[in-house]
Amino acid sequence: MAHNSLEPRDSFSSKFGVIAAAAGSAIGLGNIWRFPYILGENGGGAFLLVYLVFIIAIGVPVMMSEFVIGRNAQRNPVGAFKKIRPGKPWYLVGLLGVVSAFIILAFYTVVAGWTLEYLVQSVIWLVSPSKYGFSSMDTAELRNFFTDQFHNFQHGSWRPVIWFGVIMIFTGLIVISGVKDGIEKYAKILMPLLLVLLIVLVIRALTLDGARQGVVFLFKPDFSLIKTSTVLEALGQAFFSLSIGMGTLITYGSYIPRKENLGSTALNVALADTFIAVIAGLAIFPAVFAFNISPDAGPDLVYITLPVIFSKMTAGMVWAFIFFLLLCFAAVTSTISVLEVIVAYFSEELKMKRRNATILAMISVGFLGLLCTFSWNVLSDFRIMGKTVFGLFNASPDILLPLGGLFIVVFVGWIMQKKVVKEELSSNGIYKVRFMNVFIFLVKFVAPLAIAIVFLNGLGILRL
Ligand code: PHE
């Protein structure tokens, strides 16, 4: 997909390619790491219910809107708003997306690096089962491994920094070389494989003693556990998981061939993404309860729980190795899509060469990412609004993405011509758009109002 403004724009090669690329962006650490831990902090079942409602009523319409904008304008997010609505400040929505991309890429790459540590740990255990590796540790030792040994540089651990660098460079190389098209091919095989492995984990987790409590936690809503911030976090997580609200899918939308059906693509991607998140929850929570791990352990939750599950499996470290490899791949198909937003902006709007654009983006994101990895050691006392740099960056999608999404639906619902929107959704008449009126109603009224209310309520400006 390498191109600059002089070459014709690349596009995805097939219907399945489009879905694979968008699903590759959507499915990642958001589903397997962020979703379970945020759900765990927010009381379980009730959060899940709110989350699902947001995916359907807000997430899918926002995703379709991004595709409509992107494919119509054939540009990066900033250029797209400029082209469709010239001379108006709408392009600032695109810029907000670029800023979000910097922040998200910085902390996301750090977490993606953690999967490499666990990959190495599973190999170590395979080679030397009795002595090293995480499978010989009990739950307390695992927590210690994560919070103390792995994060704490006083114990000589620069490993998180190195892993972060590896993922960053890997992502950059893929974006520069344009082998993204090749990635689509692998995504088609590896994503389903990730699902298969998750299902294996679910089976193991469900057969643990005390698993039931985890299933109840995940599926039985207890609304008394919902805090004021919960609803906003559910909305933020829905946006984060679907990769919407910052122009990733405007950028990918601009590579979608004219004949593809945008509505069904969005639905398929949202379905796959949500399914994987729920399955991940079903693997994690039974084990969380079976092993007395606290569900609100925060960002470490999954990285403590998964190794415990593996240690209770026959040939656990082989499973662990494959799983973390697939997770790493899933993470990289997401980091590529975030980096792509920045690179498309730099190269199309600032007229930089694609290669230079990528290098500049990597250096600046690299700097921000370093600050994130320092949050557990060098900068552990440094707080902004009571949060470490990692904490702040990791919380920011909950604000930035719904805000971006709000402008995106308003733009499609109120600013773009209905005729143009219809042309995009029907691919110039190839498809019958059965739900056009529902879609317009959602993007004009439901989504903007819902986002605004959740937003103001979550920030404490409006009390419900
Ligand atoms: N959706 C990705 C995930 O769940 C993360 C992401 C967010 C990617 C925003 C692109 C844009 O892992």
Side-chain angles (χ1 to χ4, degrees):
M1 215 183 289
H3 62 85
N4 61 37
S5 40
L6 300 175
E7 297 165 9
R9 280 186 84 79
D10 276 322
S11 64
F12 294 126
S13 46
S14 68
K15 178 175 173 56
F16 203 73
V18 173
I19 296 179
S25 169
I27 297 168
L29 296 165
N31 311 56
I32 288 156
W33 159 73
R34 204 172 185 269
F35 173 77
Y37 101 72
I38 292 193
L39 180 133
E41 285 181 338
N42 285 287
F47 177 92
L48 178 62
L49 205 66
V50 178
Y51 177 82
L52 293 178
V53 171
F54 285 162
I55 292 275
I56 297 164
I58 303 176
V60 175
V62 174
M63 192 184 281
M64 287 168 70
S65 301
E66 288 204 24
F67 284 158
V68 164
I69 297 173
R71 189 167 70 179
N72 186 253
Q74 296 286 298
R75 295 260 190 303
N76 67 87
V78 177
F81 284 105
K82 274 191 191 154
K83 181 167 176 200
I84 299 175
R85 203 70 179 147
K88 292 275 169 13
W90 278 98
Y91 71 90
L92 292 174
V93 181
L95 268 185
L96 178 73
V98 175
V99 172
S100 310
F102 272 100
I103 294 175
I104 290 179
L105 193 54
F107 80 83
Y108 196 94
T109 310
V110 172
V111 183
W114 298 348
T115 61
L116 289 182
E117 172 72 22
Y118 279 78
L119 199 60
V120 170
Q121 290 291 327
S122 28
V123 177
I124 292 179
W125 191 73
L126 267 176
V127 181
S128 174
S130 56
K131 217 154 151 215
Y132 308 102
F134 56 70
S135 88
S136 51
M137 304 179 191
D138 61 21
T139 314
E141 282 172 319
L142 272 168
R143 176 166 312 136
N144 187 39
F145 168 76
F146 203 79
T147 52
D148 203 26
Q149 300 287 325
F150 181 47
H151 278 326
N152 193 341
F153 292 159
Q154 273 142 22
H155 290 199
S157 180
W158 282 86
R159 300 199 301 273
V161 178
I162 294 165
W163 297 139
F164 160 73
V166 171
I167 302 270
M168 192 73 246
I169 290 169
F170 194 57
T171 305
L173 287 178
I174 294 174
V175 169
I176 290 182
S177 67
V179 295
K180 277 206 308 296
D181 300 344
I183 294 248
E184 273 172 47
K185 264 201 304 258
Y186 293 108
K188 285 177 206 170
I189 307 162
L190 295 181
M191 292 290 169
L193 213 59
L194 178 67
L195 179 62
V196 172
L197 233 71
L198 273 173
I199 291 175
V200 172
L201 281 182
V202 169
I203 295 172
R204 176 64 273 216
L206 284 178
T207 47
L208 291 166
D209 273 347
R212 225 189 83 87
Q213 219 186 325
V215 181
V216 172
F217 179 81
L218 181 61
F219 290 123
K220 191 161 175 239
D222 175 354
F223 287 100
S224 68
L225 293 175
I226 292 210
K227 298 172 276 182
T228 343
S229 56
T230 299
V231 185
L232 181 57
E233 282 186 45
L235 185 65
Q237 175 58 22
F239 274 73
F240 185 82
S241 194
L242 295 177
S243 301
I244 53 178
M246 56 174 256
T248 312
L249 297 184
I250 294 182
T251 313
Y252 273 23
S254 73
Y255 305 132
I256 298 181
R258 284 263 158 241
K259 60 182 196 315
E260 294 304 335
N261 187 339
L262 298 181
S264 80
T265 304
L267 259 180
N268 279 317
V269 172
L271 262 176
D273 186 69
T274 308
F275 188 65
I276 297 250
V278 175
I279 293 288
L282 205 51
I284 299 295
F285 286 102
V288 162
F289 283 89
F291 297 114
N292 268 325
I293 298 167
S294 92
D296 60 357
D300 296 352
L301 179 76
V302 177
Y303 286 90
I304 298 169
T305 313
L306 282 171
V308 186
I309 307 179
F310 289 124
S311 71
K312 299 282 183 268
M313 289 169 79
T314 322
M317 292 307 116
V318 179
W319 292 110
F321 180 78
I322 306 173
F323 180 82
F324 286 114
L325 197 64
L326 292 173
L327 184 56
C328 186
F329 178 81
V332 170
T333 54
S334 302
T335 51
I336 295 170
S337 73
V338 188
L339 185 57
E340 184 66 31
V341 172
I342 306 175
V343 171
Y345 166 68
F346 280 175
S347 59
E348 290 176 9
E349 300 306 305
L350 309 182
K351 307 278 177 262
M352 291 173 73
K353 282 218 170 68
R354 205 175 151 83
R355 191 165 163 271
N356 297 346
T358 314
I359 293 171
L360 180 65
M362 280 165 63
I363 292 173
S364 31
V365 174
F367 173 72
L368 294 175
L370 270 186
L371 298 182
C372 288
T373 61
F374 288 160
S375 296
W376 286 270
N377 36 69
V378 184
L379 292 178
S380 61
D381 292 330
F382 178 71
R383 302 280 153 145
I384 309 165
M385 297 187 275
K387 288 184 176 4
T388 60
V389 178
F390 180 89
L392 184 73
F393 280 21
N394 184 16
S396 63
D398 295 344
I399 310 266
L400 293 173
L401 300 183
L403 195 61
L406 175 62
F407 290 120
I408 288 167
V409 278
V410 168
F411 188 75
V412 171
W414 295 90
I415 307 290
M416 278 180 87
Q417 288 174 352
K418 201 170 161 192
K419 188 175 128 269
V420 175
V421 175
K422 193 160 186 181
E423 271 165 18
E424 284 303 336
L425 287 178
S426 68
S427 298
N428 291 324
I430 305 181
Y431 304 101
K432 261 239 243 350
V433 192
R434 273 173 295 167
F435 301 110
M436 186 66 188
N437 290 336
V438 179
F439 175 75
I440 293 290
F441 183 67
L442 286 174
V443 289
K444 257 194 144 115
F445 304 105
V446 179
L449 269 175
I451 298 173
I453 292 171
V454 172
F455 206 70
L456 297 176
N457 183 48
L459 295 181
I461 299 168
L462 179 87
R463 279 270 162 262
L464 287 181

